[in-house]
Amino acid sequence: MGSMFKNPPGDFAGRLIEAAGLKGTRIGTAEISTVHGNFFLNTGETRAADIKALIDLAQKTVFEKFAVKLELEVELLGEWE
């Protein structure tokens, strides 16, 4: 699916996700790439809800560990609440 988050000032989203230990994390068939932490992959018949769950997990974990709020680079369409 490609790059998910904008780079925060002075850092890289992929580095933060990797440092948080999230590379390779899977929810359903959605996966945070083992090669680049800011790339999310569809490894099968991934549901949008699985990608959203990975987005939420990455944002929550990076914020808890580094106090950095990752901002989406992609635009989510539809209702997600």
Side-chain angles (χ1 to χ4, degrees):
M1 293 184 65
S3 185
M4 193 60 64
F5 299 103
K6 296 177 183 177
N7 289 324
D11 210 339
F12 298 96
R15 188 201 72 76
L16 291 166
I17 292 166
E18 180 175 352
L22 293 172
K23 281 174 67 172
T25 299
R26 290 180 78 136
I27 296 179
T29 58
E31 178 182 337
I32 297 175
S33 173
T34 58
V35 176
H36 191 294
N38 197 23
F39 280 31
F40 284 34
L41 307 173
N42 174 350
T43 64
E45 296 182 18
T46 300
R47 299 173 328 125
D50 295 339
I51 294 292
K52 180 65 166 87
L54 274 182
I55 289 169
D56 293 344
L57 176 65
Q59 288 177 318
K60 178 181 183 287
T61 305
V62 166
F63 188 78
E64 287 174 350
K65 292 188 178 238
F66 307 110
V68 174
K69 184 177 186 293
L70 292 177
E71 184 180 340
L72 283 173
E73 189 165 49
V74 298
E75 181 180 345
L76 301 178
L77 299 176
E79 295 182 28
W80 293 96
E81 298 297 316

